[in-house]
Each structure stands twice: as C-alpha cells, then as structure tokens.
Coordinates of all heavy atoms in Angstrom, one line a residue:
M1 N 11.0 7.4 11.2 CA 10.4 6.7 10.2 C 9.8 5.4 10.7 O 10.5 4.8 11.5 CB 11.4 6.3 8.9 CG 10.9 5.7 7.8 SD 12.1 5.7 6.4 CE 12.0 7.3 5.9
L2 N 8.6 5.1 10.4 CA 7.9 3.9 10.7 C 7.7 3.0 9.6 O 7.1 3.3 8.6 CB 6.6 4.2 11.5 CG 5.8 3.1 12.1 CD1 6.5 2.2 13.0 CD2 4.4 3.6 12.6
F3 N 8.3 1.7 9.7 CA 8.2 0.7 8.7 C 7.2 -0.2 9.1 O 7.3 -0.8 10.2 CB 9.4 0.1 8.3 CG 10.5 0.8 7.6 CD1 11.4 1.7 8.4 CD2 10.6 0.7 6.3 CE1 12.2 2.4 7.6 CE2 11.5 1.5 5.5 CZ 12.3 2.3 6.2
C4 N 6.1 -0.5 8.4 CA 5.0 -1.5 8.6 C 5.0 -2.5 7.5 O 4.5 -2.3 6.4 CB 3.6 -0.9 8.8 SG 3.7 0.3 10.2
D5 N 5.5 -3.7 7.9 CA 5.5 -4.9 6.9 C 4.4 -5.8 6.9 O 4.4 -6.4 8.1 CB 6.8 -5.6 7.0 CG 7.1 -6.6 5.8 OD1 6.3 -6.8 5.1 OD2 8.1 -7.3 6.0
E6 N 3.5 -5.8 6.1 CA 2.3 -6.7 6.1 C 1.5 -6.6 7.5 O 1.3 -7.6 8.2 CB 2.6 -8.0 5.8 CG 3.2 -8.3 4.4 CD 2.2 -8.1 3.4 OE1 1.1 -8.0 3.7 OE2 2.5 -8.1 2.3
V7 N 1.5 -5.4 8.0 CA 0.9 -5.1 9.5 C -0.6 -5.7 9.5 O -1.0 -6.0 10.6 CB 1.1 -3.6 9.8 CG1 0.2 -2.8 8.9 CG2 0.8 -3.4 11.2
T8 N -1.3 -5.7 8.3 CA -2.7 -6.2 8.5 C -2.9 -7.7 8.1 O -4.0 -7.9 7.9 CB -3.5 -5.2 7.7 OG1 -3.2 -5.2 6.4 CG2 -3.4 -3.7 8.3
S9 N -1.9 -8.4 7.6 CA -2.1 -9.6 6.9 C -2.9 -10.7 7.7 O -3.5 -11.4 7.1 CB -0.7 -10.2 6.5 OG 0.1 -10.6 7.7
A10 N -2.8 -10.6 9.1 CA -3.5 -11.6 9.9 C -4.8 -11.1 10.5 O -5.4 -11.7 11.3 CB -2.6 -12.1 10.9
L11 N -5.4 -9.9 10.0 CA -6.5 -9.3 10.5 C -7.7 -9.5 9.7 O -7.6 -9.6 8.4 CB -6.1 -7.9 10.9 CG -5.0 -7.4 11.6 CD1 -4.7 -6.0 11.6 CD2 -5.1 -8.1 13.0
D12 N -8.8 -9.5 10.2 CA -10.1 -9.4 9.4 C -10.3 -8.1 8.7 O -9.5 -7.1 9.2 CB -11.4 -9.8 10.3 CG -11.4 -8.7 11.4 OD1 -12.1 -7.6 11.0 OD2 -11.1 -9.0 12.6
A13 N -11.0 -8.0 7.7 CA -11.1 -6.7 6.9 C -11.5 -5.5 7.7 O -10.8 -4.3 7.7 CB -12.1 -6.8 5.8
D14 N -12.4 -5.5 8.8 CA -12.7 -4.4 9.5 C -11.6 -3.8 10.5 O -11.4 -2.8 10.6 CB -14.1 -4.7 10.6 CG -15.2 -4.8 9.6 OD1 -15.3 -4.3 8.5 OD2 -16.2 -5.5 10.0
T15 N -10.9 -5.0 11.0 CA -9.8 -4.6 11.9 C -8.5 -3.9 11.2 O -8.0 -3.1 11.5 CB -9.3 -5.8 12.7 OG1 -10.4 -6.4 13.4 CG2 -8.2 -5.6 13.7
A16 N -8.3 -4.6 9.9 CA -7.4 -4.0 9.1 C -7.5 -2.6 8.7 O -6.6 -1.8 8.8 CB -7.3 -4.9 7.8
V17 N -8.8 -2.2 8.3 CA -9.0 -0.9 8.1 C -8.8 0.1 9.2 O -8.2 1.1 9.1 CB -10.5 -0.7 7.5 CG1 -10.9 0.7 7.4 CG2 -10.6 -1.4 6.2
A18 N -9.3 -0.4 10.4 CA -9.1 0.4 11.7 C -7.6 0.5 12.0 O -7.2 1.7 12.3 CB -9.8 -0.4 12.9
V19 N -6.7 -0.5 11.9 CA -5.3 -0.3 12.0 C -4.8 0.6 11.0 O -4.0 1.5 11.5 CB -4.7 -1.8 12.0 CG1 -3.1 -1.6 12.0 CG2 -5.1 -2.6 13.2
M20 N -5.1 0.4 9.7 CA -4.6 1.4 8.8 C -5.0 2.9 9.1 O -4.1 3.7 8.8 CB -5.0 1.0 7.3 CG -4.5 -0.2 6.9 SD -2.7 -0.2 6.7 CE -2.5 1.0 5.5
N21 N -6.2 3.1 9.6 CA -6.5 4.5 9.9 C -5.8 5.0 11.0 O -5.4 6.1 10.9 CB -8.1 4.6 10.1 CG -9.0 4.3 9.1 OD1 -8.7 4.4 7.9 ND2 -10.3 3.9 9.4
L22 N -5.5 4.3 12.0 CA -4.5 4.8 13.1 C -3.2 4.9 12.5 O -2.7 5.9 13.1 CB -4.5 3.7 14.2 CG -5.8 3.5 14.9 CD1 -5.8 2.3 15.9 CD2 -6.1 4.8 15.8
L23 N -2.7 4.2 11.8 CA -1.4 4.2 11.3 C -1.2 5.4 10.5 O -0.2 6.2 10.5 CB -0.9 3.0 10.5 CG -0.5 1.7 11.2 CD1 -0.3 0.5 10.4 CD2 0.7 2.0 12.3
T24 N -2.1 5.8 9.7 CA -2.1 6.9 8.8 C -2.2 8.2 9.4 O -1.9 9.2 8.8 CB -2.9 6.7 7.6 OG1 -4.4 6.5 8.0 CG2 -2.6 5.6 6.6
E25 N -2.7 8.2 10.7 CA -2.7 9.4 11.4 C -1.3 9.8 12.1 O -1.0 11.0 12.4 CB -3.8 9.3 12.6 CG -5.1 9.3 12.1 CD -6.1 9.0 13.3 OE1 -5.6 8.9 14.5 OE2 -7.2 8.7 13.1
L26 N -0.4 8.8 12.2 CA 0.8 9.0 13.1 C 1.7 10.1 12.2 O 2.4 10.8 13.0 CB 1.5 7.7 13.1 CG 1.0 6.8 14.0 CD1 1.7 5.4 14.1 CD2 1.1 7.3 15.5
P27 N 1.8 10.0 10.9 CA 2.8 11.0 10.4 C 2.4 12.5 10.7 O 3.4 13.2 11.1 CB 2.7 10.7 8.8 CG 2.3 9.4 8.8 CD 1.4 9.1 9.9
D28 N 1.2 12.7 10.7 CA 0.9 14.3 11.1 C 1.1 14.4 12.6 O 1.5 15.5 13.0 CB -0.5 14.5 10.7 CG -0.7 14.6 9.2 OD1 0.4 14.9 8.5 OD2 -1.8 14.4 8.7
R29 N 0.7 13.4 13.4 CA 0.7 13.7 14.9 C 2.1 13.6 15.3 O 2.4 14.3 16.4 CB -0.2 12.6 15.5 CG -1.6 12.7 15.1 CD -2.5 11.5 15.5 NE -2.9 11.7 16.9 CZ -3.5 10.7 17.6 NH1 -3.4 9.5 17.1 NH2 -4.0 11.0 18.8
R30 N 3.0 12.8 14.8 CA 4.3 12.6 15.4 C 5.5 13.0 14.6 O 6.5 12.9 14.8 CB 4.5 11.0 15.7 CG 3.5 10.3 16.7 CD 3.8 10.9 18.0 NE 2.8 10.1 18.9 CZ 2.9 10.3 20.2 NH1 3.7 11.3 20.7 NH2 1.9 9.8 21.0
G31 N 5.1 13.6 13.4 CA 6.2 14.0 12.5 C 7.0 13.0 11.8 O 8.1 13.0 11.7
L32 N 6.3 11.8 11.6 CA 6.9 10.6 11.1 C 6.7 10.4 9.7 O 5.7 10.9 9.1 CB 6.4 9.4 11.8 CG 6.6 9.1 13.3 CD1 5.8 8.0 13.7 CD2 8.1 8.9 13.6
S33 N 7.6 9.6 9.0 CA 7.3 9.2 7.8 C 6.9 7.7 7.8 O 7.4 7.1 8.8 CB 8.6 9.1 6.8 OG 8.9 10.5 6.5
L34 N 5.8 7.3 7.0 CA 5.3 5.9 7.2 C 5.5 5.2 6.0 O 5.3 5.7 4.8 CB 3.8 6.1 7.4 CG 3.0 4.7 7.7 CD1 3.5 4.0 8.7 CD2 1.4 5.0 7.6
V35 N 6.2 4.0 6.0 CA 6.5 3.2 4.9 C 5.6 1.9 5.2 O 5.7 1.2 6.0 CB 7.9 2.8 4.8 CG1 8.1 1.8 3.6 CG2 8.8 4.0 4.6
L36 N 4.7 1.7 4.2 CA 3.9 0.5 4.3 C 4.2 -0.5 3.2 O 4.3 -0.2 2.0 CB 2.3 0.8 4.0 CG 1.7 1.9 4.9 CD1 0.5 2.3 4.4 CD2 1.6 1.3 6.2
V37 N 4.5 -1.8 3.7 CA 4.7 -2.9 2.8 C 3.5 -3.8 2.9 O 3.0 -4.3 3.9 CB 6.1 -3.7 3.3 CG1 6.2 -4.9 2.3 CG2 7.2 -2.8 3.3
S38 N 3.0 -4.0 1.7 CA 1.7 -4.7 1.6 C 1.5 -5.4 0.2 O 2.0 -4.9 -0.8 CB 0.5 -3.8 1.8 OG -0.8 -4.6 1.8
H39 N 0.8 -6.7 0.3 CA 0.3 -7.3 -1.0 C -0.9 -6.6 -1.4 O -1.4 -7.1 -2.5 CB 0.3 -8.8 -0.9 CG 1.6 -9.5 -0.8 ND1 2.3 -9.6 0.4 CD2 2.3 -10.0 -1.8 CE1 3.5 -10.2 0.1 NE2 3.6 -10.4 -1.2
D40 N -1.6 -6.0 -0.6 CA -2.9 -5.5 -0.8 C -2.8 -4.1 -1.2 O -3.0 -3.2 -0.4 CB -3.9 -5.7 0.4 CG -5.3 -5.4 0.2 OD1 -5.6 -4.8 -0.9 OD2 -6.1 -5.8 1.0
L41 N -2.7 -3.8 -2.5 CA -2.6 -2.3 -2.9 C -3.9 -1.6 -2.7 O -3.8 -0.4 -2.4 CB -2.2 -2.3 -4.4 CG -0.8 -2.8 -4.9 CD1 -0.7 -2.6 -6.3 CD2 0.2 -2.0 -4.0
R42 N -5.0 -2.3 -2.7 CA -6.2 -1.6 -2.5 C -6.3 -1.1 -1.2 O -6.9 0.0 -0.8 CB -7.4 -2.5 -2.8 CG -7.6 -2.8 -4.4 CD -8.5 -3.8 -4.6 NE -7.8 -5.1 -4.2 CZ -8.2 -6.2 -4.6 NH1 -9.3 -6.4 -5.3 NH2 -7.5 -7.3 -4.3
L43 N -5.7 -1.7 -0.1 CA -5.8 -1.3 1.2 C -4.9 0.0 1.5 O -5.3 0.8 2.2 CB -5.3 -2.4 2.1 CG -5.3 -2.2 3.6 CD1 -6.9 -2.0 4.2 CD2 -4.7 -3.3 4.5
V44 N -3.8 0.0 0.8 CA -2.9 1.2 1.0 C -3.2 2.3 0.1 O -2.6 3.4 0.2 CB -1.4 0.8 0.9 CG1 -1.2 -0.1 2.1 CG2 -1.0 0.3 -0.4
A45 N -4.0 2.1 -1.1 CA -4.1 3.1 -2.2 C -4.6 4.5 -1.6 O -4.0 5.4 -2.1 CB -5.1 2.5 -3.1
D46 N -5.5 4.6 -0.8 CA -6.0 5.8 -0.5 C -5.2 6.4 0.8 O -5.7 7.4 1.2 CB -7.5 5.9 -0.1 CG -7.9 5.0 1.0 OD1 -7.3 4.1 1.4 OD2 -9.2 5.1 1.4
R47 N -4.3 5.7 1.2 CA -3.5 6.2 2.3 C -2.1 6.6 2.0 O -1.2 6.7 2.8 CB -3.5 5.1 3.4 CG -4.9 4.8 4.0 CD -5.0 3.6 4.9 NE -6.1 3.4 5.6 CZ -7.2 2.8 5.0 NH1 -7.2 2.3 3.7 NH2 -8.4 2.6 5.7
T48 N -1.7 6.5 0.7 CA -0.3 6.8 0.4 C -0.4 7.9 -0.7 O -1.3 8.1 -1.5 CB 0.3 5.5 -0.3 OG1 -0.5 5.1 -1.3 CG2 0.3 4.4 0.7
D49 N 0.8 8.6 -0.8 CA 1.1 9.5 -1.9 C 1.8 8.8 -3.1 O 1.5 9.4 -4.2 CB 2.1 10.7 -1.3 CG 1.4 11.4 -0.1 OD1 0.2 11.6 -0.3 OD2 2.1 11.7 0.8
S50 N 2.6 7.9 -2.8 CA 3.3 7.4 -3.8 C 3.5 5.7 -3.5 O 3.3 5.3 -2.4 CB 4.6 7.9 -4.1 OG 5.4 7.7 -2.9
L51 N 3.6 5.0 -4.6 CA 3.9 3.6 -4.5 C 5.0 3.1 -5.3 O 5.5 3.7 -6.3 CB 2.7 2.8 -5.1 CG 1.2 2.9 -4.4 CD1 0.3 2.2 -5.2 CD2 1.4 2.2 -3.0
V52 N 5.6 2.0 -4.8 CA 6.8 1.3 -5.5 C 6.1 -0.1 -5.5 O 5.9 -0.7 -4.6 CB 8.1 1.3 -4.8 CG1 9.1 0.4 -5.5 CG2 8.5 2.8 -4.6
V53 N 6.0 -0.6 -6.8 CA 5.5 -2.0 -7.0 C 6.7 -3.0 -7.4 O 7.3 -2.6 -8.3 CB 4.3 -2.0 -8.1 CG1 3.7 -3.4 -8.3 CG2 3.2 -1.1 -7.9
I54 N 6.6 -4.1 -6.6 CA 7.9 -5.0 -6.8 C 7.2 -6.3 -7.1 O 6.3 -6.7 -6.5 CB 8.6 -5.0 -5.5 CG1 9.3 -3.6 -5.1 CG2 9.8 -6.0 -5.7 CD1 10.0 -3.6 -3.7
S55 N 7.8 -6.9 -8.1 CA 7.3 -8.2 -8.5 C 8.6 -9.1 -8.8 O 9.5 -8.6 -9.4 CB 6.6 -8.1 -9.8 OG 6.2 -9.5 -10.2
E56 N 8.6 -10.2 -8.2 CA 9.8 -11.2 -8.2 C 11.1 -10.5 -8.0 O 12.1 -10.6 -8.7 CB 9.8 -11.8 -9.7 CG 8.6 -12.6 -9.9 CD 8.5 -13.4 -11.2 OE1 9.3 -13.1 -12.0 OE2 7.4 -13.9 -11.6
G57 N 11.1 -9.6 -7.0 CA 12.3 -8.9 -6.5 C 12.7 -7.8 -7.3 O 13.8 -7.2 -7.0
H58 N 11.9 -7.3 -8.2 CA 12.3 -6.1 -9.1 C 11.2 -5.0 -9.0 O 10.1 -5.3 -9.1 CB 12.6 -6.7 -10.5 CG 13.5 -7.7 -10.8 ND1 15.0 -7.4 -10.7 CD2 13.5 -9.0 -10.9 CE1 15.7 -8.5 -10.9 NE2 14.6 -9.5 -11.0
V59 N 11.6 -3.9 -9.0 CA 10.7 -2.7 -9.1 C 10.2 -2.7 -10.6 O 10.9 -2.7 -11.4 CB 11.5 -1.4 -8.8 CG1 10.4 -0.2 -9.1 CG2 11.9 -1.3 -7.3
V60 N 8.9 -2.9 -10.7 CA 8.3 -2.9 -12.0 C 7.5 -1.6 -12.4 O 7.3 -1.3 -13.5 CB 7.3 -4.1 -12.2 CG1 8.1 -5.4 -12.1 CG2 6.2 -4.1 -11.1
E61 N 7.3 -0.8 -11.2 CA 6.6 0.4 -11.5 C 6.6 1.3 -10.2 O 6.6 0.7 -9.1 CB 5.2 0.2 -11.9 CG 4.4 1.4 -12.5 CD 3.1 1.0 -13.2 OE1 2.6 -0.2 -13.1 OE2 2.4 2.0 -13.7
S62 N 6.6 2.6 -10.4 CA 6.6 3.4 -9.2 C 6.1 4.8 -9.6 O 6.3 5.1 -10.8 CB 8.1 3.6 -8.6 OG 8.9 4.2 -9.5
G63 N 5.5 5.6 -8.6 CA 5.1 6.7 -8.9 C 4.1 7.3 -8.0 O 3.7 6.6 -7.0
P64 N 3.3 8.3 -8.3 CA 2.2 8.8 -7.5 C 1.0 7.7 -7.6 O 0.7 7.1 -8.5 CB 1.7 10.0 -8.2 CG 2.9 10.5 -9.1 CD 3.6 9.3 -9.4
T65 N 0.6 7.4 -6.4 CA -0.5 6.5 -6.2 C -1.7 6.6 -7.2 O -2.1 5.7 -7.9 CB -1.1 6.6 -4.8 OG1 0.1 6.2 -4.0 CG2 -2.0 5.4 -4.5
A66 N -2.2 7.9 -7.2 CA -3.3 8.1 -8.3 C -3.0 7.7 -9.6 O -3.8 7.0 -10.5 CB -3.7 9.5 -8.1
R67 N -1.8 7.9 -10.1 CA -1.5 7.6 -11.4 C -1.2 6.1 -11.6 O -1.8 5.6 -12.6 CB -0.1 8.3 -12.0 CG 0.2 8.0 -13.4 CD 1.6 8.4 -13.8 NE 2.7 7.9 -13.1 CZ 3.1 6.7 -13.1 NH1 2.8 5.9 -14.0 NH2 4.2 6.3 -12.5
L68 N -0.7 5.4 -10.7 CA -0.5 4.1 -10.8 C -1.9 3.3 -10.8 O -2.0 2.3 -11.4 CB 0.3 3.5 -9.7 CG 1.8 3.4 -10.0 CD1 2.3 4.7 -10.4 CD2 2.6 2.7 -8.9
F69 N -3.0 3.9 -10.2 CA -4.2 3.3 -10.1 C -5.1 3.6 -11.3 O -6.0 2.9 -11.7 CB -5.0 3.5 -8.8 CG -4.7 2.4 -7.8 CD1 -3.5 2.6 -7.0 CD2 -5.5 1.4 -7.6 CE1 -3.3 1.6 -6.1 CE2 -5.3 0.4 -6.6 CZ -4.1 0.6 -5.8
T70 N -4.8 4.7 -11.9 CA -5.6 5.2 -13.1 C -5.0 4.8 -14.3 O -5.7 4.7 -15.4 CB -6.0 6.7 -13.1 OG1 -4.6 7.4 -13.0 CG2 -6.7 7.1 -11.8
A71 N -3.7 4.8 -14.4 CA -2.9 4.3 -15.6 C -1.7 3.6 -15.4 O -0.7 3.9 -15.7 CB -2.5 5.8 -16.3
P72 N -1.9 2.3 -14.9 CA -0.9 1.4 -14.6 C -0.2 1.0 -15.8 O -0.9 0.9 -16.9 CB -1.6 0.2 -13.9 CG -3.0 0.3 -14.3 CD -3.3 1.8 -14.6
T73 N 1.1 0.7 -15.8 CA 1.8 0.3 -17.1 C 2.4 -1.1 -17.0 O 2.8 -1.7 -17.9 CB 3.0 1.2 -17.3 OG1 4.0 1.1 -16.3 CG2 2.6 2.7 -17.6
H74 N 2.1 -1.8 -15.8 CA 2.5 -3.2 -15.5 C 1.4 -4.0 -15.1 O 0.5 -3.5 -14.4 CB 3.6 -3.1 -14.5 CG 4.4 -4.6 -14.4 ND1 3.8 -5.6 -13.7 CD2 5.5 -4.8 -15.1 CE1 4.6 -6.6 -13.9 NE2 5.6 -6.2 -14.7
P75 N 1.2 -5.3 -15.6 CA 0.2 -6.1 -15.3 C 0.0 -6.3 -13.7 O -1.1 -6.5 -13.2 CB 0.4 -7.5 -15.9 CG 1.3 -7.0 -17.0 CD 2.1 -5.9 -16.6
V76 N 1.2 -6.4 -13.0 CA 1.0 -6.5 -11.6 C 0.2 -5.4 -10.8 O -0.5 -5.6 -10.0 CB 2.4 -6.8 -11.0 CG1 2.3 -6.7 -9.3 CG2 2.9 -8.1 -11.4
T77 N 0.5 -4.2 -11.4 CA -0.1 -3.0 -10.9 C -1.5 -3.0 -11.2 O -2.4 -2.5 -10.4 CB 0.5 -1.8 -11.3 OG1 2.0 -1.9 -11.0 CG2 0.1 -0.5 -10.5
A78 N -2.0 -3.5 -12.5 CA -3.2 -3.3 -12.9 C -4.2 -4.4 -12.3 O -5.4 -4.2 -12.4 CB -3.2 -3.5 -14.4
A79 N -3.5 -5.5 -11.8 CA -4.4 -6.6 -11.3 C -5.5 -6.1 -10.2 O -6.6 -6.7 -10.3 CB -3.5 -7.7 -10.7
P80 N -5.1 -5.3 -9.3 CA -6.1 -4.9 -8.1 C -7.3 -4.2 -8.8 O -8.4 -4.4 -8.4 CB -5.3 -4.1 -7.3 CG -3.8 -4.4 -7.5 CD -3.7 -4.8 -8.9
A81 N -7.1 -3.4 -9.9 CA -8.1 -2.7 -10.4 C -9.1 -3.7 -11.1 O -10.4 -3.3 -11.2 CB -7.6 -1.6 -11.5
T82 N -8.6 -4.8 -11.6 CA -9.5 -5.8 -12.1 C -10.0 -6.8 -11.3 O -10.9 -7.6 -11.7 CB -8.7 -6.4 -13.4 OG1 -7.8 -7.3 -12.8 CG2 -8.2 -5.5 -14.3
G83 N -9.6 -6.8 -10.1 CA -10.1 -7.7 -9.1 C -9.4 -9.0 -9.1 O -9.6 -9.9 -8.3
M84 N -8.3 -9.1 -10.0 CA -7.6 -10.3 -10.0 C -6.5 -10.3 -8.8 O -6.1 -9.2 -8.3 CB -6.7 -10.3 -11.3 CG -7.7 -10.4 -12.4 SD -6.7 -10.3 -14.1 CE -5.1 -10.4 -13.7
P85 N -6.1 -11.4 -8.3 CA -5.2 -11.5 -7.2 C -3.8 -10.9 -7.7 O -3.4 -10.9 -8.8 CB -4.9 -13.0 -6.9 CG -5.5 -13.7 -8.1 CD -6.4 -12.8 -8.8
L86 N -3.1 -10.2 -6.6 CA -1.9 -9.6 -7.0 C -0.8 -10.7 -7.2 O -0.7 -11.7 -6.4 CB -1.5 -8.8 -5.7 CG -0.5 -7.7 -5.9 CD1 -0.9 -6.7 -7.1 CD2 -0.4 -6.9 -4.6
G87 N 0.0 -10.5 -8.3 CA 0.9 -11.5 -8.5 C 2.2 -11.1 -7.9 O 2.4 -10.2 -7.2
G88 N 3.4 -12.0 -8.2 CA 4.6 -11.6 -7.9 C 5.3 -12.4 -6.8 O 6.4 -12.2 -6.4

C-alpha cells in the first residue's frame, strides 16, 4: 500500500498532473493499493474509485467517486463542482 499525502501541493499544475499520472500507474504495475490524501478533489477525481471526504476531522461523505461528484450530499463535497474553494 502506498500512501501519498498532499504529494502535489507544492507543484505547478502541469507537474502535478504528470506526477498523478505516474502514481496512478503503480497499482497495476506493482500490485499496490494507492491512497491519495488531497485538498484538491478535482485532481484525484478521475484517478480514484472511491472517496472519503473529511471536514474538520470528521468523515462527512464517502462512496464511489462518480456518485460523490454527480450527487454530493455535503457542501464540502459539492464545492469543487461549483468552483468554490474546498472548505474544512
């Protein structure tokens, strides 16, 4: 299992995408599970099967990534879809 905590936070947008592309290849190539910790849900959205959204230390929503982006039930999850900054 590979845990990546804010692995792209200090990178420019193009480099962040390139790093994420490399990281998301690892599970298939190495038989790993990949856990991404990020404030940028949009960056991880198309690279994950499921999400756990935490705000102020509490899980506020979890489930399949596609459902959380198409039908979020919590304002923190809905914020990226509206372009608002992620709270929490």
Side-chain angles (χ1 to χ4, degrees):
M1 186 169 288
L2 177 62
F3 286 86
C4 298
D5 185 4
E6 295 293 347
V7 69
T8 61
S9 64
L11 303 176
D12 64 80
D14 290 336
T15 305
V17 169
V19 167
M20 290 300 298
N21 288 342
L22 290 171
L23 285 174
T24 54
E25 291 176 7
L26 286 175
D28 290 335
R29 296 168 90 194
R30 301 285 185 183
L32 297 172
S33 294
L34 179 62
V35 176
L36 299 170
V37 178
S38 180
H39 284 88
D40 189 348
L41 291 181
R42 290 169 286 202
L43 183 65
V44 300
D46 64 344
R47 295 170 172 88
T48 58
D49 298 322
S50 60
L51 290 174
V52 176
V53 180
I54 299 172
S55 179
E56 298 179 5
H58 300 282
V59 173
V60 296
E61 190 165 11
S62 65
T65 302
R67 183 186 60 76
L68 267 60
F69 271 82
T70 57
T73 61
H74 193 278
V76 171
T77 311
T82 63
M84 295 174 10
L86 202 56

